[in-house]
Amino acid sequence: MDGKRVIGLDVGGTKILAGVIDREGQVERRREHATPTASQEELLAGVDSAVEELLTDEIAAIGFGIPSPIDQRTGRALQSVNIPLRDLDFRARMAERFGLPVGIENDANAATYAEFRFGAGRDVEDMVMLTLGTGCGGGAVIDGKLFRGWAEFGHMVIVYDGIPCQGSCTGRGHLEAYVTGVAAAKLAQEEFGPAVDAHRLVRLAREGELRAVEILAGIGRYLGAGIGSLVNIFSPELVVIGGGFAAAGDFLFEPAREILRREALAGAGERVPIVHAELGTAAGLIGAGLVAFDALE
Ligand SMILES: [Zn+2]
């Protein structure tokens, strides 16, 4: 056990991505499994077998990215909206089961960590990331270190008493309600009919459909308001946008930059670039591996 390789698992609402990861962030033996979501027991059985499949003598630690707020003091995964995990001492459970050091982190934090080390943020010391998919997650790196608290940036209030948030969140006017693929699909369907999802909306915009461009610009301005607040709080050098809906690119980013220039303090709106994430769907998996390496120290 020379500490050169770990297992990383990105436990998502629909699939578990697993792989063996080295210190340079290279993924070997990448695997993908459907996430069992019928019960916590089945979920844990699925996670266990995904680990066992990759476990060899050279594995030094295991890291998990989980779609749930994590209490890092106790290693507990608190209530998750997408997978059946309820207030479980996840880190202790896995450490006992596999007899190895175990790291656990929120999935969006893990993706942020990977982009910081090996992706869009590799040349900066401070960055903020937002992931736009079904939901809106995020993470922050401050002074070269991952912020390991609850970086639930998607649940930042950007409109007081605004539209209801998604999933099991009971809040209103949260960023997530305005900037996800789900939010985009809702607006697109009002305009173009039930068959148009976020993906199709982006395509319509690329084809020059003005109303599609306007819908995306409206979403981008809300995104810019959220980013403006994050820049004012964290003063990052860079803002990275990942997740499937980030494919909308400058249809979102340009209006977001315009609002960022208006809202960010002390000229930060001119200085802080908004860029695409670079690692794609592997970010969460690589980040889980980094969390495993951290557990070795
Ligand atoms: Zn919310």
Side-chain angles (χ1 to χ4, degrees), residues 152 154-156 164-166 168-177:
E152 294 288 345
H155 300 281
M156 159 167 60
C165 198
Q166 296 181 177
S168 62
C169 179
T170 56
R172 301 184 78 98
H174 294 184
L175 183 64
E176 176 163 295

Side-chain angles (χ1 to χ4, degrees), residues 220-221 223-224 227 249-263 269-270 272-276:
R221 285 192 284 272
L223 179 64
I227 292 172
D250 278 342
F251 288 114
L252 294 178
F253 297 180
E254 264 312 310
R257 289 179 187 119
E258 184 191 314
I259 300 304
L260 175 63
R261 281 194 288 272
R262 197 178 78 186
E263 304 299 344
E270 307 288 343
V272 181
I274 298 175
V275 302
H276 271 286

Side-chain angles (χ1 to χ4, degrees), residues 40-64:
Q40 182 160 295
E41 289 66 40
E42 285 184 36
L43 173 73
L44 290 174
V47 169
D48 287 346
S49 75
V51 172
E52 279 153 12
E53 188 182 20
L54 298 172
L55 203 54
T56 59
D57 288 345
E58 64 165 7
I59 299 300
I62 309 170
F64 296 89

Side-chain angles (χ1 to χ4, degrees), residues 87-108:
D87 203 22
L88 171 72
D89 199 341
F90 194 91
R91 191 167 58 203
R93 154 72 172 72
M94 293 301 171
E96 188 179 332
R97 165 113 196 171
F98 296 106
L100 288 171
V102 168
I104 149 174
E105 188 47 85
N106 169 269
D107 57 350

Side-chain angles (χ1 to χ4, degrees), residues 91-222:
R91 191 167 58 203
R93 154 72 172 72
M94 293 301 171
E96 188 179 332
R97 165 113 196 171
F98 296 106
L100 288 171
V102 168
I104 149 174
E105 188 47 85
N106 169 269
D107 57 350
N109 281 6
T112 301
Y113 202 6
E115 287 289 342
F116 166 66
R117 288 286 301 280
F118 302 116
R122 70 176 79 80
D123 296 326
V124 302
E125 283 290 291
D126 298 89
M127 65 170 258
V128 162
M129 177 158 158
L130 285 172
T131 56
L132 311 180
T134 311
C136 172
V141 173
I142 303 161
D143 295 334
K145 287 207 181 73
L146 178 68
F147 171 65
R148 306 209 59 173
W150 296 4
E152 294 288 345
F153 297 153
H155 300 281
M156 159 167 60
V157 181
I158 55 166
V159 180
Y160 165 69
D161 215 17
I163 59 175
C165 198
Q166 296 181 177
S168 62
C169 179
T170 56
R172 301 184 78 98
H174 294 184
L175 183 64
E176 176 163 295
Y178 295 88
V179 301
T180 60
V182 172
K186 233 180 256 173
L187 295 172
Q189 282 157 12
E190 281 166 20
E191 182 71 26
F192 300 108
V196 179
D197 59 6
H199 185 73
R200 184 84 209 286
L201 178 69
V202 173
R203 211 167 71 208
L204 284 170
R206 287 202 188 108
E207 287 164 3
E209 170 59 63
L210 274 184
R211 193 54 201 126
V213 174
E214 279 168 22
I215 289 172
L216 291 172
I219 295 170
R221 285 192 284 272
Y222 283 115

